[in-house]
Amino acid sequence: MLRKLTPVLLTLVVVALGITALAARPDDGAPERSADFVVLAGAAGLRWEDVDPQTTPTLWRMAEQGSIGSLSVRSAHRPTCPVDGWLTLGAGNFAAWNGSRPGGGCPATGVTVEQPDGIGANLPDQESVVAYNQDRLSWGTTPGALSESVRCSVAVGPGAAVAAARPFGRVDRYAPVLPADPAKLLGSCVLSIVDLGTVDGADPTNRAAQARQVDAQLARVLAARPPHSLVLVAGVSDTDTPSRLHVAVADGPGWGRGWLTSPSTAREGYLQLVDLAPTALAALGRPMPERLFVGRPAMSVGDRPDDLRAAIDAPADADREAAAQRRVAGWFFTLLAAAQVALAVAVLPLLRRARRHAGPHGPEPVSRRVVAAVELLLIAAALAVPAALLADAVPWWRGSHAGWWFASVTALLTVGGTAAVRFTPGHERTLGPLGAVAALATLVVGVDVLTGSRLQLNGVIGYSALEGGRYAGLGTVGLGVFIAGSLLCGGWLAQRVRRAWRPMVMVAVGGAAVVIVGSPYLGADSIGAIALTAGVSVAAAICTGGWLTVSRLAWATMAGLAVTIGFAVVDVGRPEAERGSLGRFLAALGDGTGGLTVHRSSTANFQTLVNSPLTVLALAGAALVWFALLQPWGGLMRLFGIYPAIRAAMAGTGVAAGLGGVLSGSALDVAGAAGALVVPMAALAALRVLDHSTDRTQPGSGRPGDEGGSAPPGGPGGDRPSGGRAAAVPGAGGAARPEPDPEAPEGAPVGPDRGTGAPDAAADRAPRVPAQPGPASTEVPAG
């Protein structure tokens, strides 16, 4: 009875762990009114490298006494042109100006601003821009949502007019330039938006001159700011390609020395352009149009260095790293995909010749040195992604040739990790390298997540703040590696215990991984936690033996659905401002706007599927497994028969990686990252299982000290020890009997595989002896 209830109980445990991990959320605190007036001052292209005490003294002093951060200027188009940035600022959502964009550049036409009455202004193109954003783009953006949320707003300059225009094109109060005394204008409405100018070009002299002009305009704004006001300065857009991180400074009551952040980034020192609109309304104490804004109100947090130069160096360095990451990541994953495909092709002839023939005739086995070299290459290939993640602990992006520095550091770490695995005790065992590689990969990603995911932010193996998709927790590649590593670790540990305990071990390891992935304090990936829950349930269900039947797949599906429903119930019950992505999506389904989210997800899946090198990794790994490893000569079926817990771990990895990629909009990227770890280890383990497939024991001579079965030095079994041993059994005439394999399934046969279909677990550990042809031979050919 208890055996039948085990899947149910384990499923409930996994569900409870998943809901516990997802339900707890940091207390962001409700934003409170902190100002009577808000002034949003924007300068297109302004970056932290443009700020210094000599060129921009006003901005420098403002940053000293206020809060600073790095601003991601993502909009609905890339790059974010100045007009797109101003439009996104006023919409509180990802927006873009309509018009043709040759070669991914910016629209050629300027913005038309009409002043019919000398008080306000009209934008005649605004209605077509609103229609374009709502009908052609997938964000459901309403340009002018910020100005619609206040009674009156002021705009100074054409860029500010774009941000302040209401959806029908009216700007309440407008001035093309700052008047001689701007105090009256800025105090006429609770919200003012000022266009400080533009900083563009690559020439340092020109940039410095433009930054100086921006600073002079800012000095006039600060001198005329209304009492008890909040001033926000932001580099609202890019002015060249590729995208960069920009300046964000807040100065006002409650915004003293600190880092700017927001719940949308959950990372100190980072906020998004879409966060500025809700920040302004929160500071004024005005209600927010939650269904129109995707940003969240920014806040100031402490622990900023007292020295402003040291504080500014951090976002400036992050900008350099993010820019270098964009250049390096593409060729790294392309080279990794090419290397793994080439290695897969090289493994094929070794698999065909790995199984030794029992008789005197047959193909010559591949040289031991060649096999050993290929094994090391497989280990290195599996460790390439964790090594590249660890490489971001070294500031390679600061060098003049960042790509070469990254390649050198990653190569050194890969070699070091391969050597560590090679000399780990138990390396000679069939599952020794697999367990060591999985543990090392899980450790690297897990420690990074537990320490704040600092290596993944702007890292080659992580995510870029320039993309605006994620700023904290586990990224797509990190999720794939962590899923594969944690499940393989669970399978390796489960294989070493008795059959009855294996599901418990798998649930313990997998449940801890679910908590790390799903906790908002750690991995902050609710979709990944739901997918991993299904994978852990599959692995726990089949780790004692048997295949993934319909009933077991149903249990895994029910576990994932239970976690999803449980978390959804908790999340939807929160206030709108505190909901996570799942809660916001379900609320959108309730009000009929959920189709936009589905459309964005499907579009992202298609674009990622077509453009990502990880798609090649996923497809190449699947082809190697299906057309080679799972064939009768491929060895993987034999490996699965001998080690059911490893089969369970790999099946769970496939389920979790597939679900995680599709549900998160990253297509096969999660599966590709997982396959980069799993497929080389599966090939290595299959090679070793095939190599041991004809191992036999030999009767001893009965002489004292002869425990029987040891292969002569230099023989077929002498080049690589198997780790097993044969012990003489008293009263058995000195015949050797292999000891039970601690990694073999309970009840597995200890003798040779005689064609019954049951894999010979002990044969994978028994010492190999050369075939002895003739009538006296005791060897039984493998079935």
Side-chain angles (χ1 to χ4, degrees):
M1 182 65 179
L2 182 61
R3 184 181 182 88
K4 293 181 179 180
L5 290 177
T6 297
V8 180
L9 296 176
L10 292 177
T11 300
L12 292 177
V13 171
V14 176
V15 169
L17 288 172
I19 296 177
T20 301
L22 294 171
R25 298 188 67 84
D27 183 13
D28 299 326
E32 299 179 356
R33 177 173 178 172
S34 61
D36 295 330
F37 298 87
V38 171
V39 179
L40 292 172
L46 182 63
R47 302 197 294 259
W48 280 112
E49 65 185 33
D50 302 317
V51 180
D52 61 60
Q54 292 75 36
T55 305
T56 57
T58 304
L59 184 56
W60 184 270
R61 287 192 299 270
M62 183 181 175
E64 278 187 320
Q65 64 188 21
S67 296
I68 65 174
S70 296
L71 183 68
S72 171
V73 295
R74 177 188 175 189
S75 67
H77 278 164
R78 296 177 186 174
T80 297
C81 303
V83 66
D84 299 331
W86 287 111
L87 199 64
T88 298
L89 171 63
N93 200 341
F94 303 114
W97 194 266
N98 57 344
S100 60
R101 297 171 182 267
C106 296
T109 58
V111 176
T112 302
V113 180
E114 299 176 348
Q115 292 183 268
D117 54 14
I119 298 174
N122 290 328
L123 268 66
D125 299 328
Q126 183 75 346
E127 291 187 11
S128 64
V129 172
V130 172
Y132 173 75
N133 279 270
Q134 294 189 339
D135 299 339
R136 300 286 299 277
L137 303 181
S138 60
W139 293 99
T141 303
T142 301
L146 174 59
S147 58
E148 282 286 276
S149 302
V150 295
R151 184 182 62 84
C152 170
S153 61
V154 171
V156 179
V162 173
R166 296 179 183 270
F168 52 88
R170 176 65 178 176
V171 180
D172 298 332
R173 284 175 172 79
Y174 177 72
V177 295
L178 275 173
D181 182 10
K184 183 178 179 180
L185 179 64
L186 297 179
S188 61
C189 295
V190 295
L191 175 65
S192 298
I193 304 176
V194 181
D195 185 351
L196 297 176
T198 301
V199 181
D200 59 7
D203 181 66
T205 304
N206 290 338
R207 291 192 67 90
Q210 293 170 345
R212 191 174 292 109
Q213 294 176 0
V214 167
D215 192 73
Q217 293 289 92
L218 176 62
R220 298 180 61 196
V221 170
L222 293 180
R225 66 189 293 182
H228 202 257
S229 60
L230 167 65
V231 178
L232 289 166
V233 178
V236 295
S237 73
D238 294 310
T239 51
D240 52 9
T241 54
S243 298
R244 303 288 294 272
L245 294 174
H246 295 270
V247 167
V249 183
D251 178 42
W255 298 85
R257 295 172 179 264
W259 292 113
L260 288 175
T261 187
S262 83
S264 71
T265 64
R267 172 80 68 174
E268 290 186 4
Y270 288 86
L271 71 162
Q272 301 185 75
L273 182 61
V274 293
D275 295 329
L276 298 184
T279 301
L281 294 184
L284 294 171
R286 301 301 177 94
M288 279 177 268
E290 294 289 347
R291 296 176 185 176
L292 300 180
F293 286 177
V294 297
R296 303 284 292 277
M299 64 192 73
S300 177
V301 294
D303 298 330
R304 196 189 89 182
D306 294 332
D307 181 15
L308 181 59
R309 173 51 64 191
I312 287 180
D313 284 345
D317 191 54
D319 181 35
R320 287 193 295 269
E321 181 182 5
Q325 183 257 16
R326 183 193 297 270
R327 298 192 302 268
V328 172
W331 65 255
F332 170 77
F333 284 111
T334 301
L335 289 178
L336 178 64
Q340 292 227 3
V341 169
L343 194 56
V345 173
V347 164
L348 293 179
L350 298 186
L351 290 170
R352 298 301 299 260
R353 300 177 62 182
R355 183 161 183 161
R356 296 168 179 269
H357 289 253
H361 303 290
E364 287 292 326
V366 180
S367 167
R368 287 292 178 190
R369 293 182 178 180
V370 173
V371 174
V374 171
E375 286 189 352
L376 290 178
L377 290 176
L378 289 170
I379 294 171
L383 290 176
V385 175
L389 175 62
L390 198 58
D392 280 293
V394 179
W396 53 267
W397 56 90
R398 297 176 187 170
S400 56
H401 302 284
W404 288 107
W405 281 109
F406 173 79
S408 301
V409 174
T410 303
L412 288 175
L413 290 172
T414 303
V415 171
T418 303
V421 172
R422 172 61 183 84
F423 295 106
T424 297
H427 173 78
E428 68 280 356
R429 301 179 68 85
T430 301
L431 299 183
L434 184 147
V437 168
L440 197 56
T442 307
L443 182 66
V444 170
V445 179
V447 169
D448 179 48
V449 172
L450 294 174
T451 55
S453 302
R454 300 182 184 277
L455 299 181
Q456 294 190 65
L457 177 65
N458 297 324
V460 173
I461 304 302
Y463 36 81
S464 172
L466 299 176
E467 301 296 326
R470 174 174 284 271
Y471 300 84
L474 266 173
T476 299
V477 179
L479 176 64
V481 173
F482 192 72
I483 285 175
S486 58
L487 286 177
L488 285 181
C489 280
W492 183 80
L493 291 173
Q495 189 62 53
R496 303 181 69 84
V497 301
R498 296 180 62 83
R499 184 189 302 268
W501 290 96
R502 289 175 186 169
M504 313 300 177
V505 172
M506 190 66 73
V507 166
V509 176
V514 169
V515 171
I516 291 175
V517 171
S519 171
Y521 301 92
L522 300 173
D525 190 344
S526 56
I527 298 300
I530 293 169
L532 183 55
T533 299
V536 171
S537 300
V538 167
I542 64 175
C543 64
T544 57
W547 290 101
L548 185 59
T549 61
V550 174
S551 61
R552 288 173 169 177
L553 183 60
W555 276 115
T557 305
M558 290 174 61
L561 287 176
V563 172
T564 306
I565 294 171
F567 174 56
V569 170
V570 175
D571 204 24
V572 171
R574 296 191 178 103
E576 290 188 28
E578 299 179 9
R579 288 174 184 162
S581 58
L582 183 59
R584 291 195 296 270
F585 172 65
L586 293 177
L589 286 179
D591 60 33
T593 60
L596 294 173
T597 304
V598 175
H599 175 66
R600 288 196 298 266
S601 178
S602 60
T603 302
N605 271 314
F606 177 77
Q607 291 177 347
T608 304
L609 183 68
V610 173
N611 299 324
S612 176
L614 287 170
T615 301
V616 178
L617 271 175
L619 296 179
L624 177 65
V625 170
W626 183 259
F627 293 107
L629 297 181
L630 285 177
Q631 297 304 309
W633 49 269
L636 197 58
M637 295 296 290
R638 182 178 179 88
L639 177 75
F640 286 169
I642 298 174
Y643 306 110
I646 299 300
R647 175 191 58 194
M650 292 185 180
T653 298
V655 171
L659 284 177
V662 173
L663 295 180
S664 64
S666 55
L668 296 178
D669 276 8
V670 178
L677 176 68
V678 172
V679 174
M681 289 298 94
L684 191 154
L687 280 173
R688 290 195 168 187
V689 165
L690 290 173
D691 187 49
H692 289 286
S693 61
T694 53
D695 288 358
R696 296 294 181 267
T697 56
Q698 188 177 26
S701 62
R703 294 190 298 270
D706 185 359
E707 266 75 34
S710 167
D719 291 338
R720 179 172 54 182
S722 64
R725 60 185 184 273
V729 180
R737 182 171 57 189
E739 291 187 356
D741 181 9
E743 294 179 353
E746 182 179 339
V750 247
D753 180 4
R754 300 178 185 274
T756 61
D760 180 5
D764 194 38
R765 290 288 166 268
R768 184 184 298 107
V769 296
Q772 302 291 334
S777 174
T778 60
E779 181 172 350
V780 180

